[in-house]
């Protein structure tokens, strides 16, 4: 890929600006991140040696509230990637009408190469390095790829040590025992499921006649796969970084998930209690999964999975982006020409940040909700904003992606204008 991910991401904004009247000030404002921090994190390894890791935190825009965004651990993490993810978070929070701006963080690391103690020292070191940059009214962190509630717990504890007080609202996606919210662990996949359920009836499609392939079987992908399976959709293929599994008659996703959670292996199994037996299936590559002849494709792994080079081979009719940025701008155009309906990341995976917001609200009020309360509020928000974006797309005859950006820009533009003209007076 020759273009930076951020340049790619910005193209989606340019497309939306053609369909909305918004002040030049607001447009200029949204071209650049508010601040970007790169830090070196020294970690004492178990063998006594010292290693320095690179970490990042980007706050893209805080006009609508404190910035919010996850922390990713991956070998490909770079400033460009973190900036793009922070940009998407800004629009995602506006799409959902959550009173937050967008941020993101990350460390360039393959966490599987570290011991548990090394991982904890790295996570605490990251918070040491960015502590002055974050806070419950400034910038709030959360999990993302290869980070989880355990890591969020270490990070919150480190922040508390630095602040000499308990500040649960600085990080969401924490363990329940440290002030986490019920329903946060399943929120991203559940939000994707609610959006799919709201949108598919518009195409007169019913679950039992619908085949599904899910790329990525982590937090987002495994939950949406299980919910779809339980709702009667035929989930024929799922994959992880090692490859995929395919079964024409559908996989029993609760069993596959149970087996993966206990063994880390992705296998087509049927479990009764703790006894799991292998069923008939074939292994497929991730490239094959993306080109399967299914109704619904859910990319739920990483960015840039469907590009100019493989978009032509995609045969799904509907693509729901549970991952951030899985389709490049060039691929978007190819998919549109093929008549494939794409439902964008800034709506489809917004369930995670929505329940993170609920967690922040609960931390600050000190009153905790039941899981049904959390899921009901999530459903209400997902369905409301999905319907609004659908209406914009129909009214303006534009794609759901452009409509989502138009919807977000209306809200961000209003906030930028409401801030007044201070910038004129400050030299
Ligand atoms: P995760 O680490 O829990 O899972 C990622 C999954 O993708 C793993 O199963 C991994 O093996 C698989 N994977 C990695 N590379 C792959 C490849 N090339 N092909 C197929 N599978 C591959 O991460 P997650 O939290 O589920 O995040 C997945 C995506 O969803 C990311 O784009 C993330 O930014 C986005 N997202 C996550 C959340 C959240 O709350 N976790 C919220 C919003 C968006």
């Amino acid at each position: 890929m020759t273009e930076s991910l951020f340049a790619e991401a910005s193209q989606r904004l340019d497309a939306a600006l053609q369909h909305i009247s918004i002040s030049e000030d607001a447009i200029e404002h949204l071209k650049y991140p508010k601040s970007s921090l790169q830090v070196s994190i020294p970690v004492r390894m178990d063998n006594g040696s010292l290693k320095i890791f690179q970490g990042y935190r980007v706050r893209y825009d805080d006009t609508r509230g404190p910035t919010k965004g996850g922390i990713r651990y991956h070998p490909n993490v770079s400033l460009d990637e973190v900036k793009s993810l922070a940009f998407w978070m800004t629009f995602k929070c506006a799409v959902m009408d959550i009173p937050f701006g967008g941020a993101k963080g990350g460390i360039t690391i393959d966490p599987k190469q570290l011991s548990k103690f090394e991982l904890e020292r790295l996570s605490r070191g990251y918070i040491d390095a960015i502590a002055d940059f974050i806070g419950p009214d400034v910038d709030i962190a959360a999990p993302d790829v290869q980070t989880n509630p355990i890591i969020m717990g270490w990070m919150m504890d480190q922040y508390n040590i630095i602040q000499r007080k308990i500040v649960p609202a600085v990080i969401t996606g924490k363990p329940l025992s440290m002030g986490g919210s019920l329903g946060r662990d399943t929120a991203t996949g559940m939000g994707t499921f609610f959006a799919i359920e709201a949108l598919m009836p518009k195409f007169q499609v019913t679950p039992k006649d619908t085949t599904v392939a899910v790329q990525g079987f982590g937090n987002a992908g495994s939950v949406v796969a299980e919910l779809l399976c339980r709702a009667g959709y035929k989930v024929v293929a799922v994959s992880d970084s090692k490859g995929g599994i395919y079964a024409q008659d559908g996989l029993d996703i609760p069993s596959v998930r149970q087996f993966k959670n206990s063994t880390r292996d992705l296998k087509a199994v049927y479990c009764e209690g703790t006894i799991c037996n292998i069923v008939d299936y074939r292994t497929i590559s991730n490239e094959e999964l993306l080109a399967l002849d299914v109704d619904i494709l859910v990319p739920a792994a990483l960015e840039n999975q469907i590009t100019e080079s493989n978009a032509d081979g995609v045969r799904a009719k509907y693509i729901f982006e549970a991952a951030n940025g899985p389709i490049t701008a060039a691929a978007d155009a190819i998919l549109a020409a093929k008549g494939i309906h794409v439902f964008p990341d800034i709506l489809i995976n917004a369930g995670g940040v929505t329940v993170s917001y609920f967690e922040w609200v609960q931390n600050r009020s000190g009153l905790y909700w039941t899981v049904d309360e959390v899921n009901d509020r999530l459903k209400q928000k997902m369905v409301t904003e999905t319907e609004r974006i659908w209406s914009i797309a129909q009214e303006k005859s534009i794609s759901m992606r452009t409509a989502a950006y138009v919807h977000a820009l209306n809200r961000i533009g209003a906030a930028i204008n409401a801030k007044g003209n201070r910038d004129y007076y400050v030299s």
Side-chain angles (χ1 to χ4, degrees):
M1 194 183 60
T2 50
E3 210 166 7
S4 83
L5 187 62
F6 182 66
E8 273 274 336
S10 312
Q11 285 185 34
R12 271 54 189 270
L13 185 57
D14 296 341
L17 287 171
Q18 292 168 18
H19 299 279
I20 183 175
S21 136
I22 172 173
S23 76
E24 289 298 321
D25 285 8
I27 296 172
E28 182 65 6
H29 185 97
L30 287 170
K31 281 187 193 158
Y32 308 96
K34 183 181 169 76
S35 46
S36 307
L37 184 68
Q38 177 167 359
V39 294
S40 294
I41 311 159
V43 176
R44 183 65 60 193
M45 307 303 281
D46 291 347
N47 67 6
S49 68
L50 184 77
K51 267 202 180 165
I52 309 283
F53 296 90
Q54 292 304 298
Y56 307 89
R57 187 78 190 165
V58 173
R59 302 182 62 217
Y60 200 87
D61 179 71
D62 67 350
T63 319
R64 299 185 72 257
T67 50
K68 180 89 187 75
I71 298 165
R72 178 175 293 196
Y73 286 1
H74 196 273
N76 294 346
V77 164
S78 65
L79 185 57
D80 179 56
E81 184 184 69
V82 175
K83 194 161 73 163
S84 309
L85 290 161
F87 170 90
W88 285 319
M89 282 303 294
T90 305
F91 288 89
K92 198 179 299 180
C93 292
V95 155
M96 296 308 287
D97 210 9
I98 290 168
F100 288 146
K104 203 79 182 192
I107 303 178
T108 314
I109 174 69
D110 176 0
K112 292 180 195 129
Q113 304 301 317
L114 299 187
S115 72
K116 194 173 175 197
F117 287 124
E118 288 167 342
L119 196 61
E120 179 169 350
R121 288 196 286 274
L122 176 67
S123 305
R124 289 181 183 274
Y126 178 68
I127 292 300
D128 284 342
I130 68 164
D132 294 336
F133 211 59
I134 60 174
D137 294 309
V138 183
D139 181 27
I140 305 133
D144 189 69
V145 173
Q146 298 195 102
T147 54
N148 56 27
I150 297 169
I151 296 175
M152 296 305 111
W154 296 333
M155 289 185 170
M156 178 196 152
D157 184 58
Q158 190 64 19
Y159 189 77
N160 292 345
I161 290 168
I162 294 166
Q163 298 296 324
R164 290 181 167 273
K165 59 184 175 187
I166 307 299
V167 194
V170 69
I171 284 180
T172 58
K174 302 177 290 288
L176 292 178
S177 55
M178 294 179 81
S181 175
L182 290 166
R184 176 61 187 88
D185 51 347
T186 52
T188 304
M190 191 168 283
T192 303
F193 172 73
F194 289 145
I196 293 175
E197 285 276 274
L199 286 161
M200 291 320 286
K202 300 185 191 303
F203 300 93
Q204 280 84 48
V205 172
T206 53
K208 72 174 179 39
D209 307 317
T210 307
T211 52
V212 182
V214 180
Q215 184 205 32
F217 204 65
N219 180 292
S222 69
V223 172
V224 68
E226 176 159 345
L227 291 170
L228 288 170
C229 180
R230 288 187 186 279
Y233 294 76
K234 200 197 279 185
V235 182
V236 293
V238 296
S239 66
D240 65 14
S241 57
K242 294 184 209 132
I245 52 176
Y246 173 87
Q248 196 178 356
D249 295 334
L251 296 156
D252 184 59
I253 300 294
S255 296
V256 175
R257 222 174 144 212
Q258 178 185 327
F259 190 76
K260 166 109 187 174
N261 286 343
S262 56
T263 63
R264 293 182 149 214
D265 270 347
L266 191 61
K267 287 258 159 61
V269 289
Y270 182 74
C271 305
E272 274 181 52
T274 52
I275 309 296
C276 299
N277 292 310
I278 305 273
V279 297
D280 204 21
Y281 77 105
R282 68 182 167 88
T283 55
I284 53 170
S285 67
N286 267 297
E287 272 303 305
E288 286 175 280
L289 181 139
L290 295 175
L292 282 176
D293 187 8
V294 287
D295 298 300
I296 294 180
L297 175 63
V298 183
L302 292 169
E303 54 269 7
N304 289 338
Q305 296 302 300
I306 303 177
T307 66
E308 217 168 348
S309 61
N310 63 357
D312 207 35
V314 173
R315 287 186 287 168
K317 300 184 188 72
Y318 311 93
I319 303 181
F320 291 86
E321 292 184 324
N324 284 306
I327 302 176
T328 65
D332 242 354
I334 296 169
L335 298 174
K338 284 168 68 97
I340 298 173
H341 299 270
V342 173
F343 300 98
D345 46 8
I346 58 170
L347 168 68
I348 298 303
N349 69 32
V353 73
T354 302
V355 177
S356 274
Y357 163 56
F358 295 162
E359 183 173 329
W360 180 82
V361 169
Q362 292 170 75
N363 291 153
R364 291 166 71 98
S365 69
L367 183 68
Y368 287 81
W369 307 348
T370 64
V371 72
D372 287 346
E373 244 173 310
V374 171
N375 290 341
D376 287 350
R377 287 179 195 254
L378 171 63
K379 183 172 184 178
Q380 194 200 339
K381 269 212 160 297
M382 286 303 305
V383 172
T384 303
E385 302 305 338
T386 299
E387 293 294 348
R388 285 190 179 142
I389 293 168
W390 176 261
S391 301
I392 296 170
Q394 299 302 304
E395 260 165 46
K396 294 184 183 285
S397 296
I398 54 179
S399 70
M400 281 292 279
R401 187 185 311 282
T402 303
Y405 276 91
V406 165
H407 188 43
L409 275 169
N410 274 322
R411 288 177 174 154
I412 299 170
I416 292 173
N417 292 339
K419 267 181 78 177
N421 298 305
R422 175 181 170 276
D423 296 346
Y424 284 114
Y425 310 129
V426 180
S427 59

